[in-house]
Amino acid sequence: MTTPDADGLLAEQLLRLTRRVHRIQKRHLEQRDLGITPAQSRLLRTLAHWGSPPRMADLAERLEVVPRAVTTLVDGLEASGKVRRVPDPANRRVIRIELTDDGRGALRELRAARRSAAEEILAPLAEDQRAALGGLLDTLIDGEPVRQC
């Protein structure tokens, strides 16, 4: 009988947690009836972090997707009035993407949906466990090994 691979089990747990988070967030989004997919919500959140409207290529790079994927997402969000394409004032051949008032409202709803999903997911943890989890996740995200004294 072989012993289980501890790192493999951890990787599987992380994958299962990621799937659970995605399912719960999707359910909370659907309950708010925003008509926004998880990919569109990610684009809106990314767009909100820019000081001025970015180019489609900038969004594709930040989202780590091909430009065609951003075009499809923007098309859907533009059709629902959440974003609009605007010409670059310095170069009319360049198109930039900006949030509309409806898009900002949708972002507020998205943030509320994410908060309620996070509350559901983290409910079993005490505050000190949440703090420990946050520190561990930061370490994994940053890829920096933890140094022990």
Side-chain angles (χ1 to χ4, degrees):
M1 185 169 175
T2 61
T3 59
D5 172 21
D7 287 344
L9 289 174
L10 283 172
E12 179 63 26
Q13 286 175 302
L14 287 170
L15 183 59
R16 288 175 55 210
L17 177 60
T18 300
R19 288 180 182 145
R20 181 169 184 253
V21 167
H22 181 75
R23 277 193 316 273
I24 290 171
Q25 285 184 344
K26 185 176 179 183
R27 179 170 39 84
H28 281 263
L29 279 176
E30 288 170 352
Q31 287 171 349
R32 293 179 184 271
D33 198 29
L34 295 173
I36 295 175
T37 67
Q40 289 174 328
S41 71
R42 185 171 174 235
L43 185 137
L44 285 174
R45 288 190 320 271
T46 301
L47 189 55
H49 286 83
W50 249 283
S52 61
R55 299 172 308 139
M56 298 263 257
D58 299 328
L59 284 168
E61 184 178 327
R62 179 78 57 94
L63 293 169
E64 297 178 342
V65 298
V66 296
R68 177 71 191 127
V70 171
T71 300
T72 301
L73 292 172
V74 168
D75 286 348
L77 289 168
E78 187 176 38
S80 67
K82 308 284 188 289
V83 301
R84 71 177 143 251
R85 289 172 165 92
V86 294
D88 184 307
N91 182 348
R92 293 185 52 83
R93 292 177 295 164
V94 174
I95 299 296
R96 296 192 174 269
I97 308 303
E98 70 179 10
L99 281 171
T100 63
D101 288 340
D102 283 350
R104 282 185 275 285
L107 267 173
R108 285 190 292 278
E109 288 292 318
L110 289 168
R111 287 181 184 123
R114 286 178 64 126
R115 272 193 305 281
S116 60
E119 288 169 6
E120 179 179 337
I121 292 162
L122 298 173
L125 301 179
E127 280 303 314
D128 61 330
Q129 292 174 312
R130 290 179 187 202
L133 177 61
L136 292 169
L137 290 173
D138 282 343
T139 300
L140 292 175
I141 290 166
D142 296 338
E144 298 289 326
V146 176
R147 294 196 177 134
Q148 298 193 359
C149 299

